[in-house]
Amino acid sequence: MRRNSCKHPLIIGTWNVRSMNLGKLDIIKNEMERINIDILGISELKWTGIGHFESDNHIVYAGNDDSKRNGVAFMVKKNVSRSILKYNAVSDRIISIRLQGRPVNMAIIQIYAPTTRAKNEEIEDFYQLLKSEIDQTCNQDALIITGDWNAKVGNEEGSVVGKYGLGDRNNAGDRMIGFCKTNNFFIANTFFHQHKRRLYTWTSLDGTYRNQIDYICGQRQWKRSILSVRSGTDHQLLICKFKLKLKKISPQEPNYELEYIPPEFRDHLKNRFDALNISDRRPDELWNDIIHEESKRSLKRRERNKRPRWMSEETLKLALEHRAAKAKGRVDEVKELNKISKGLSRRQYYNDICKELEMENQKGRTRSAFLKLKELRKKFKPRVAKVKDSMGKILNDAGSIKRR
């Protein structure tokens, strides 16, 4: 299958890690860095609980509440994590993430399907939850499903399966193909011609048996955006290149007044920490559950000043008086206020900066002069001759200093 080239495709991976401890986490982070993976879906995590945290990369996960079994997660590169809109931990077998992109947003669902030895009720529940999550996804989003399906689809060519699959189809494969056909998905692994060692995604512990049970499935309308799919070198990591640009979301952290912190804020924090067992809690949980809540309740938010730099309190007060006088038809008062306002106008503000700039230059403080010059140029294009003369003089003086 031919694909159009893409200068900077999004690299997405999926990996069944067969449980992940602290040492395994470091190995996976190194592999992400080495292969330059942007988003990695993880199956069979075997962690408990639901949450997210930072560990070089951004990690969101969903595990079993009662025992260390199943578990799915996403590990997102730090610069890509700025594009995350939300994530949804559906169960210990399904987690989704949504990212802001151009021209459309992207949704990825990471799954860990039950094995063929699981009960029919467990398999039915899994497919119903997956169908529900697909239905809740925005229709305009580019949606792909990654993960361990525990199914063999073979290589019988069709609209869902391509001719480059591996092995013989089993009952779980029939179920997966039927689900993909109903929901308009295709199994991308099987549509790219690769060497046989790039097809298998599972190896038995003794290395005797190899199968293809991990897949990346995409919606048919996005078929041309998937540039390639192959397994990684020396392990069963599955990698996909997807043609989509992501947009960064500017973080909007709460900004609190910290000049004065009321004593009750410290007391409330101390009481809540004393009553809590924090040995098993991560820093992000403590921030969200305790510190952030108490800050919202006890601290004042810092108001953002949207007023232009040149507009002082006196200028603002004068403008209000001018508006009131004009509304009441007091012509003489309006003329008087106009005379006063000339000394407080924007032009006067920049003229004052020019005077300060020339003074700093005369005293040989070139660094301070250039900072004033930068302030002048920021969101302002000077037109007055005085400003042009000041800028030219500074640049000439700086050139003569450099030549010496």
Side-chain angles (χ1 to χ4, degrees), residues 310-312 314-323 333-349 352:
W310 58 269
M311 185 176 288
S312 63
E314 190 178 355
T315 308
L316 187 62
K317 185 179 178 181
L318 196 67
L320 294 174
E321 290 177 4
H322 184 276
R323 184 195 301 172
E333 188 177 345
V334 170
K335 288 181 180 179
E336 186 65 29
L337 290 171
N338 282 338
K339 290 179 184 179
I340 299 172
S341 64
K342 287 182 180 179
L344 301 173
S345 64
R346 175 163 41 183
R347 178 174 294 185
Q348 183 63 39
Y349 170 80
D352 291 341

Side-chain angles (χ1 to χ4, degrees), residues 107-323:
I108 307 172
I109 302 175
Q110 173 68 20
I111 61 118
Y112 175 52
T115 63
T116 52
R117 292 174 292 180
K119 296 179 181 179
N120 289 332
E121 293 81 2
E122 186 178 358
I123 297 173
E124 287 292 334
D125 289 343
F126 166 78
Y127 276 101
Q128 285 179 10
L129 284 174
L130 182 56
K131 170 64 175 170
S132 175
E133 186 62 21
I134 292 170
D135 292 341
Q136 291 177 28
T137 304
C138 180
N139 292 333
Q140 281 74 39
D141 287 2
L143 174 61
I144 64 172
I145 303 174
T146 64
D148 185 351
W149 288 81
N150 277 311
K152 293 190 287 184
V153 299
N155 55 8
E156 297 178 20
E157 189 175 1
S159 60
V160 176
V161 182
K163 61 181 179 180
Y164 302 115
L166 183 68
D168 299 322
R169 185 181 302 176
N170 61 5
N171 292 333
D174 288 330
R175 178 66 186 269
M176 177 186 172
I177 291 169
F179 181 84
C180 289
K181 190 176 291 185
T182 303
N183 293 279
N184 201 30
F185 281 86
F186 73 101
I187 303 172
N189 309 35
T190 61
F191 282 87
F192 292 91
H193 181 52
Q194 305 282 357
H195 190 278
K196 194 172 181 179
R197 71 174 181 273
R198 300 290 189 189
L199 297 178
Y200 65 83
T201 62
W202 174 87
T203 307
S204 62
L205 294 176
D206 58 2
T208 306
Y209 302 101
R210 293 175 176 178
N211 278 318
Q212 185 185 51
I213 60 173
D214 294 71
Y215 302 97
I216 292 177
C217 304
Q219 288 179 313
R220 289 178 193 171
Q221 62 264 40
W222 299 101
K223 198 169 187 178
R224 294 185 64 82
S225 295
I226 297 180
L227 306 177
S228 70
V229 182
R230 65 181 179 85
S231 64
T233 310
D234 300 329
H235 47 67
Q236 288 71 54
L237 169 63
L238 190 62
I239 304 166
C240 161
K241 291 184 179 180
F242 196 92
K243 186 167 62 174
L244 182 76
K245 289 184 178 180
L246 296 179
K247 291 173 67 177
K248 293 179 181 178
I249 303 169
S250 300
Q252 295 183 348
E253 291 293 329
N255 196 358
Y256 297 110
E257 292 281 359
L258 300 178
E259 287 77 12
Y260 171 72
I261 298 177
E264 58 266 21
F265 174 73
R266 300 187 183 92
D267 294 338
H268 289 161
L269 277 184
K270 186 177 184 304
N271 293 337
R272 291 191 65 174
F273 274 110
D274 288 344
L276 183 71
N277 180 13
I278 63 173
S279 59
D280 298 327
R281 304 293 296 275
R282 299 188 317 278
D284 65 301
E285 289 180 330
L286 295 174
W287 165 258
N288 290 326
D289 295 347
I290 298 178
I291 301 176
H292 187 46
E293 286 180 11
E294 289 298 330
S295 299
K296 285 172 66 176
R297 188 170 68 176
S298 304
L299 300 180
K300 289 184 179 180
R301 284 180 177 269
R302 183 172 291 159
E303 294 182 3
R304 293 185 179 181
N305 186 12
K306 297 183 179 179
R307 189 189 307 159
R309 289 173 293 161
W310 58 269
M311 185 176 288
S312 63
E313 288 288 347
E314 190 178 355
T315 308
L316 187 62
K317 185 179 178 181
L318 196 67
L320 294 174
E321 290 177 4
H322 184 276
R323 184 195 301 172

